[in-house]
Amino acid sequence: MSSTDDREADHVTRAGDPTPAPAPSRDVDLGVAATPRVRNEGRQVREGARALVFKPSRLTIVVALVAVVGGLPLLFSVPYFWLALVVPAGIAVWVLRTRTTVDPDSLTVRTVTGSRTVQWDDVRGLRLGKRSSVSAVLADDAELTLAAVKVRDLPALSLASAGRVADPTGG
């Protein structure tokens, strides 16, 4: 250990010290579930929170805008290229509209074309799909894809649903 390394200095006891140095205390809030996300690092959900909203990353809109700016020179040189600008506009609408809202009573999935609310009593379970997507299996064996919910979000989903969905991590 170097003399400039202070991280371990608090944990080391010297031979002449009568009492050992106290261990570092870590405050742990047992009513908090953390969901690591690229768009919102360390989002925390507290017990008793009314609803939790899962949304696609807003950074996708920036990517669509960069595509529009990059395509502007072609807009004036290629006939009917303006039709290609519909794709970034559609992406922006999808990002702004799509979401899944979870509360202790219900589950609401909103897509570009509509919205559907399902009570937790009508949900038999969750199905984990390809690319870490999550779908709710309903009582009539229909599947409802939970937009913007990934497998890594299941602990937060469990907490927001007031325990109606089991936490797969056992936390």
Side-chain angles (χ1 to χ4, degrees):
M1 179 171 80
S2 68
S3 62
T4 59
D5 192 3
D6 295 331
R7 289 178 289 179
E8 294 182 26
D10 294 337
H11 310 297
V12 176
T13 60
R14 293 186 177 87
D17 291 344
T19 59
S25 64
R26 295 185 181 177
D27 296 328
V28 177
D29 188 357
L30 297 177
V32 174
T35 61
R37 297 175 151 243
V38 174
R39 61 185 175 269
N40 189 2
E41 284 295 324
R43 170 187 287 182
Q44 294 184 341
V45 182
R46 298 213 175 265
E47 283 187 62
R50 183 66 190 135
L52 178 62
V53 179
F54 296 95
K55 302 184 268 190
S57 174
R58 300 292 194 234
L59 188 60
T60 309
I61 294 175
V62 174
V63 173
L65 289 176
V66 168
V68 168
V69 170
L72 284 179
L74 294 174
L75 177 67
F76 300 112
S77 62
V78 177
Y80 299 105
F81 186 76
W82 61 270
L83 291 173
L85 298 179
V86 173
V87 173
I91 290 171
V93 168
W94 175 79
V95 167
L96 293 173
R97 177 93 174 125
T98 303
R99 68 187 61 209
T100 298
T101 306
V102 179
D103 61 27
D105 301 323
S106 64
L107 174 69
T108 303
V109 177
R110 188 168 87 175
T111 61
V112 174
T113 58
S115 178
R116 183 170 181 189
T117 301
V118 177
Q119 298 300 318
W120 281 112
D121 295 335
D122 297 333
V123 176
R124 282 193 350 203
L126 297 178
R127 178 167 306 191
L128 307 179
K130 294 180 181 178
R131 301 182 68 185
S132 75
S133 66
V134 178
S135 299
V137 179
L138 305 178
D140 59 353
D141 290 331
E143 285 191 25
L144 178 64
T145 302
L146 305 181
V149 177
K150 300 293 180 191
V151 172
R152 67 176 178 235
D153 298 324
L154 289 178
L157 183 73
S158 173
L159 192 60
S161 68
R164 294 182 184 249
V165 175
D167 184 359
T169 61

